[in-house]
């Protein structure tokens, strides 16, 4: 299977090595995932696996874009209240999640980190991460960059899989099959029947939308397509980050 460890991983460094990495890196990267249900064929770690592997892809490709990254350990727990009716889901409250991310950022700022990048792979984290970024930007000297990976991949994913490729569907199944095929329950892959989303309100819990817990059709998974999307999206993200830094943001 592909390797997730990189030479830029904080967890493998001594404090002396960490100090050197902070001094030479352009950004520290905090990968953010979740532990939550992903239907009957994917593991609860799907979003955390995505955060881990996709941040490793960023680290490896960063020098091609004139950047050097310091990667923090992936934050595995997210804001997943809407999945709590499915066993195995673990959630932090929105307020706790914001505080955790802010305190991670404050720790890095105290050690001299100037720029922090959130690389997020779970939709439920978007709102609290935006709140955390706002607080860190106002209360510390950090410049915070926020990337929700799927936003940068959306055009390629829609071209490859059409509509409905979201949670535990075509896209995420392709990803896990590419990086950790041993964790996919092939015999459990089946089209996910989901209700049409309302136009004027949201849902409280995901089992109101889909009984199995997923969207789309995981039997349409394609690892070759996913490999191309990962490479393309990695380049798009690094180009955007480099451009923002060059522009003084």
């Amino acid at each position: 299977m592909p390797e997730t460890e990189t030479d830029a991983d904080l967890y493998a460094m001594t404090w002396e090595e960490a100090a050197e990495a902070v001094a030479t890196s352009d950004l520290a990267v905090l990968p953010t995932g979740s532990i939550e249900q992903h239907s009957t064929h994917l593991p609860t770690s799907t979003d955390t696996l995505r955060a881990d592997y996709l941040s490793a892809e960023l680290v490896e490709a960063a020098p091609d874009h004139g950047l050097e990254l310091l990667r923090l350990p992936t934050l595995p727990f997210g804001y997943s209240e809407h999945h709590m009716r499915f066993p195995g889901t673990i959630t932090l409250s929105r307020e706790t999640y914001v505080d955790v991310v802010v305190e991670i950022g404050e720790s890095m700022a105290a050690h001299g980190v100037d720029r922090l990048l959130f690389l997020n792979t779970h939709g439920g984290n978007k709102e609290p991460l935006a709140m955390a970024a706002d607080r860190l930007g106002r209360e510390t000297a950090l410049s915070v960059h926020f990337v929700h990976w799927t936003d940068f991949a959306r055009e390629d994913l829609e071209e490859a899989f059409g509509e409905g490729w979201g949670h535990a569907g075509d896209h995420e199944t392709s990803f896990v099959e590419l990086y950790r095929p041993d964790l996919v329950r092939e015999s459990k892959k089946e089209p996910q029947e989901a209700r049409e989303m309302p136009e004027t309100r949201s849902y409280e819990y995901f089992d109101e939308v889909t009984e199995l817990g997923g969207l789309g059709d995981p039997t349409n998974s394609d690892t070759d397509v996913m490999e191309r999307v990962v490479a393309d999206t990695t380049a798009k993200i690094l180009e955007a980050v480099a451009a923002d830094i060059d522009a003084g943001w």
Side-chain angles (χ1 to χ4, degrees):
M1 66 186 69
E3 184 60 68
T4 58
E5 293 186 8
T6 79
D7 293 336
D9 289 342
L10 177 65
Y11 77 81
M13 297 178 182
T14 67
W15 69 263
E16 291 178 312
E17 293 164 345
E20 182 178 351
V22 167
T24 59
S25 298
D26 297 290
L27 302 97
V29 180
L30 176 63
T32 56
S34 70
I35 299 295
E36 64 180 33
Q37 71 85 20
H38 274 75
S39 192
T40 57
H41 64 289
L42 294 181
T44 58
S45 60
T46 293
D47 287 340
T48 295
L49 289 171
R50 292 171 59 219
D52 202 27
Y53 280 100
L54 292 170
S55 60
E57 296 281 0
L58 284 185
V59 167
E60 296 297 336
D64 295 335
H65 298 267
L67 296 172
E68 183 175 342
L69 307 182
L70 168 63
R71 188 170 72 144
L72 309 186
T74 297
L75 182 59
F77 304 116
Y79 178 57
S80 300
E81 179 63 36
H82 52 300
H83 289 292
M84 279 299 291
R85 287 180 177 170
F86 290 92
T89 298
I90 298 174
T91 190
L92 302 178
S93 70
R94 184 186 287 105
E95 295 77 16
T96 296
Y97 187 79
V98 172
D99 286 343
V100 167
V101 173
V102 166
E103 291 180 16
I104 291 171
E106 289 173 341
S107 295
M108 299 314 297
H111 298 311
V113 169
D114 296 320
R115 294 183 181 276
L116 179 62
L117 169 64
F118 300 154
L119 181 70
N120 181 53
T121 55
H122 168 53
N125 293 342
K126 291 177 70 174
E127 180 183 339
L129 279 173
M131 295 172 65
D134 184 64
R135 275 182 55 184
L136 285 168
R138 296 175 187 273
E139 298 172 8
T140 74
L142 281 174
S143 295
V144 182
H145 301 253
F146 179 16
V147 168
H148 182 59
W149 191 89
T150 309
D151 287 344
F152 283 79
R154 190 171 306 280
E155 185 175 328
D156 286 345
L157 291 172
E158 289 178 352
E159 181 179 345
F161 299 120
E163 300 294 330
W165 42 261
H167 187 79
D170 318 33
H171 152 228
E172 291 190 320
T173 303
S174 299
F175 180 90
V176 181
E177 287 179 338
L178 176 62
Y179 288 90
R180 288 297 305 270
D182 55 307
L183 296 179
V184 180
R185 282 64 168 174
E186 288 290 336
S187 64
K188 293 283 190 176
K189 287 169 57 176
E190 61 178 282
Q192 308 287 294
E193 295 185 7
R195 296 176 63 187
E196 185 175 349
M197 296 292 187
E199 291 188 52
T200 61
R201 57 156 293 187
S202 184
Y203 54 85
E204 281 74 44
Y205 291 95
F206 211 61
D207 63 351
E208 300 172 43
V209 178
T210 168
E211 182 178 352
L212 289 177
L215 303 173
D217 186 354
T219 66
N220 289 332
S221 61
D222 189 323
T223 56
D224 290 336
V225 166
M226 198 68 238
E227 189 170 19
R228 293 194 299 272
V229 171
V230 167
D232 187 37
T233 304
T234 297
K236 287 180 181 177
I237 291 170
L238 290 168
E239 288 168 4
V241 170
D244 284 345
I245 293 175
D246 289 343
W249 292 105

